[in-house]
């Protein structure tokens, strides 16, 4: 089996979700650190012209976009598994949460964390507003279920986990969301889980 290579950085939630799946599928892979300076190089942009991480190399195949990489990994290495079910409705529900990960999660908790921790030029009030709408919806959804899409963990859960779990690092308290916190605990208990390195909490999150 060819060696898998993952271009990533430690604090990227997009990279973390892919690394979580790799670990949960018991796949061996090498991590290549890909800070911003590397991503601006011509060599890296031959792998991904938009200069973003993660990038996964599997033999002669080059995969970009974290959600697409997860779909590939399941289809290639864990077909017919609970991670991406074949049944039509279940597969559609997984897609719903992949879309929400790329939408509300990225531009809510993900964006707020990028602004607070990395001074990203994004709209912090908008990120807080998106989070304020989305997290209560997620809370209600999880109030009577263990996982987001089906009764077992899927790549939809992994896609949403990293930035939601790290929401306090962007100044968003999870104290009002007990169902979300229980879901975070369930994901952290899965075999192969490892936490994304933590960053200092801003004062507002510490106070809450």
């Amino acid at each position: 089996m060819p060696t898998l290579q993952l271009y990533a950085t430690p604090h990227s939630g997009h990279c973390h979700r892919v690394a979580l799946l790799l670990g949960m599928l018991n796949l061996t892979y090498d991590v290549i650190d890909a800070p911003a300076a590397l991503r601006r190089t011509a060599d890296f942009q031959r792998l991904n012209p938009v200069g973003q991480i993660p990038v996964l190399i599997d033999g002669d195949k080059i995969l970009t976009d974290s959600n697409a990489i997860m779909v590939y990994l399941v289809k290639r290495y864990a077909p017919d598994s609970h991670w991406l079910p074949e049944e039509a409705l279940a597969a559609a529900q997984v897609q719903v949460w992949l879309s929400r990960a790329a939408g509300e999660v990225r531009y809510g908790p993900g964006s707020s964390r990028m602004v607070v921790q990395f001074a990203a030029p994004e709209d912090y009030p908008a990120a807080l507003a998106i989070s304020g709408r989305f997290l209560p919806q997620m809370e209600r959804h999880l109030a009577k279920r263990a996982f987001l899409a089906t009764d077992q963990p899927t790549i939809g859960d992994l896609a949403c986990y990293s930035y939601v779990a790290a929401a306090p690092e962007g100044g968003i308290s999870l104290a009002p969301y007990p169902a979300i916190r229980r879901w975070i605990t369930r994901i952290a208990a899965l075999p192969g889980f490892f936490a994304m390195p933590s960053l200092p909490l801003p004062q507002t999150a510490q106070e809450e």
Side-chain angles (χ1 to χ4, degrees), residues 109-171:
S111 181
S112 66
R113 178 175 174 269
M114 290 172 64
V115 172
V116 170
Q117 299 291 340
F118 306 109
E122 301 197 6
D123 189 334
Y124 188 66
L128 295 180
I130 292 169
S131 299
R133 292 190 297 269
F134 170 70
L135 290 174
Q137 296 169 6
M138 190 179 189
E139 174 72 14
R140 290 191 294 272
H141 183 77
L142 285 167
K144 296 182 179 180
R145 67 190 74 206
F147 300 104
L148 292 173
T150 72
D151 60 0
Q152 298 186 76
T154 70
I155 58 174
D157 292 283
L158 300 189
C160 292
Y161 171 83
S162 302
Y163 288 128
V164 171
E169 296 178 357

Side-chain angles (χ1 to χ4, degrees), residues 39 44-55 62 64-65:
R39 301 196 299 269
F44 183 85
Q45 292 185 12
R46 278 191 284 271
L47 300 176
N48 186 1
V50 299
Q52 294 177 346
I53 48 174
V55 172
I62 301 170
T64 63
D65 182 89

Side-chain angles (χ1 to χ4, degrees), residues 187-207:
I187 299 300
L190 294 173
F193 175 86
F194 68 95
M196 187 164 57
S198 61
L199 294 167
L201 294 182
Q203 190 62 35
T204 53
Q206 290 176 338
E207 292 169 353

Side-chain angles (χ1 to χ4, degrees), residues 6-130:
L6 179 66
Y7 286 79
T9 60
H11 292 104
S12 165
H14 287 80
C15 297
H16 185 242
R17 67 181 65 159
V18 172
L20 280 179
L21 182 61
L22 287 163
M24 291 177 185
L25 296 182
N26 293 312
L27 295 173
T28 300
Y29 64 100
D30 295 326
V31 177
I32 300 172
D33 190 39
L38 177 69
R39 301 196 299 269
R40 290 191 291 267
T41 65
D43 284 346
F44 183 85
Q45 292 185 12
R46 278 191 284 271
L47 300 176
N48 186 1
V50 299
Q52 294 177 346
I53 48 174
V55 172
L56 182 77
I57 309 296
D58 185 3
D60 61 352
K61 300 177 181 65
I62 301 170
L63 288 304
T64 63
D65 182 89
S66 59
N67 289 350
I69 291 170
M70 289 195 296
V71 170
Y72 169 83
L73 287 171
V74 174
K75 291 292 188 181
R76 173 72 175 84
Y77 293 103
D80 303 317
S81 70
H82 61 85
W83 292 109
L84 183 57
E86 289 294 329
E87 192 274 324
L89 182 58
Q93 290 302 313
V94 172
Q95 182 58 57
V96 166
W97 289 98
L98 293 178
S99 295
R100 301 204 82 174
E104 293 99 321
V105 173
R106 161 61 182 88
Y107 292 102
S111 181
S112 66
R113 178 175 174 269
M114 290 172 64
V115 172
V116 170
Q117 299 291 340
F118 306 109
E122 301 197 6
D123 189 334
Y124 188 66
L128 295 180
I130 292 169

